[in-house]
Amino acid sequence: QVSLKEFGGGSMQAGGSLTLSCAVYDYIFKTPFEAACVGWFRQAPGKEREAVAAIYTGGEDTWYADPVKGRFSIYQRNANTVRLQMDKLKPEDTGTYTCAVRRSCSAASIVESSIVASTFFNDWGQGTQVIVSS
């Protein structure tokens, strides 16, 4: 099992930016973020969790949900950290953001049908809250 922790949540006015970090720790041997699939999800109050973005860390393959395309960017900061850069924030971006990792992965898996599957990711963080005010 992998331990993940999210950082960087907070409050921001619409139009602003936030950068979320997903850090992996408490692992043995190679970092779980090596050639892995890492995803960001969010859940707004009263709504179901939705996938936001995902990346295959062994290459440059990424996926974004339609509502965030052109505004959010997912990238690997270093061996232990994946970030989600969120620009031009909107009030509908409000929610709890959670990262997840699938350790045995490939670039071919960075497609919506895989990412949204409930059993695709092996380990999840606890989440960090993002509040965007109008």
Side-chain angles (χ1 to χ4, degrees):
Q1 187 172 354
V2 173
S3 296
L4 302 173
K5 186 170 178 59
E6 301 88 350
F7 300 90
S11 298
M12 177 61 64
Q13 287 191 325
S17 298
L18 283 173
T19 302
L20 304 183
S21 294
C22 175
V24 60
Y25 62 99
D26 200 19
Y27 58 89
I28 301 174
F29 306 121
K30 70 176 184 180
T31 171
F33 278 2
E34 182 178 340
C37 290
V38 180
W40 280 98
F41 294 76
R42 69 185 180 189
Q43 185 167 18
K47 295 187 177 181
E48 292 188 355
R49 184 176 64 197
E50 61 177 350
V52 173
I55 185 171
Y56 171 60
T57 59
E60 298 181 355
D61 300 83
T62 57
W63 172 88
Y64 297 94
D66 286 342
V68 307
K69 283 181 180 177
R71 300 189 298 118
F72 289 13
S73 178
I74 185 170
Y75 62 96
Q76 187 172 16
R77 173 68 174 85
N78 54 40
N80 299 335
T81 306
V82 169
R83 284 184 170 171
L84 183 69
Q85 176 66 40
M86 306 187 297
D87 299 321
K88 300 178 182 178
L89 285 164
K90 302 177 180 180
E92 50 263 44
D93 294 322
T94 294
T96 298
Y97 284 70
T98 306
C99 67
V101 64
R102 178 181 177 90
R103 282 160 274 140
S104 298
C105 204
S106 67
S109 296
I110 300 298
V111 293
E112 183 171 349
S113 58
S114 296
I115 295 164
V116 300
S118 61
T119 58
F120 181 73
F121 290 97
N122 305 116
D123 299 286
W124 296 78
Q126 294 299 310
T128 184
Q129 191 171 26
V130 171
I131 300 173
V132 183
S133 58
S134 57

